[in-house]
């Protein structure tokens, strides 16, 4: 038996609610952090938060996608996946 086979046989399944919770918390985290940072950098902060239109909105969507792709593929899981141990 190879090492990869022994790792998969001893791995415990992760509950679905933890995966869903990690996804929701990841989305809110990147939404508010990226939105505020991009809003601050482009001067689109308002009294209620931030308002992104046009180019800054495109950069925001790219940052959200990049967060999930880079963290999941290259860094062993997103922030909340690692905290909740779903990866």
């Amino acid at each position: 038996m190879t090492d990869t086979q022994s790792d998969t046989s001893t791995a415990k399944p992760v509950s679905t609610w933890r995966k869903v919770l990690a996804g929701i918390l990841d989305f809110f985290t990147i939404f508010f952090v990226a939105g505020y940072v991009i809003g601050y950098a482009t001067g689109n902060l308002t009294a209620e938060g931030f308002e992104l239109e046009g180019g800054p909105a495109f950069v925001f969507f790219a940052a959200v996608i990049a967060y999930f792709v880079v963290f999941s593929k290259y860094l062993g899981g997103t922030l909340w996946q690692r905290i909740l141990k779903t990866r």
Side-chain angles (χ1 to χ4, degrees):
M1 184 171 357
T2 65
D3 289 87
T4 56
Q5 290 174 337
S6 63
D7 289 343
T8 56
S9 64
T10 59
K12 295 178 183 176
V14 178
S15 59
T16 303
W17 71 267
R18 283 173 53 186
K19 290 179 184 179
V20 171
L21 181 62
I24 292 169
L25 291 173
D26 274 323
F27 180 76
F28 281 118
T29 300
I30 190 62
F31 181 85
F32 288 112
V33 170
Y36 183 80
V37 168
I38 294 168
Y40 181 79
T42 59
N44 290 323
L45 291 180
T46 64
E48 295 81 26
F50 53 88
E51 185 175 328
L52 304 176
E53 296 177 353
F58 179 75
V59 172
F60 169 76
F61 288 124
V64 170
I65 292 168
Y67 170 80
F68 284 101
V69 170
V70 169
F71 273 76
S72 295
K73 192 168 187 176
Y74 300 109
L75 301 175
T78 62
L79 176 68
W80 286 101
Q81 286 174 343
R82 295 177 76 178
I83 291 171
L84 295 174
K85 298 181 179 158
T86 60
R87 294 267 329 213

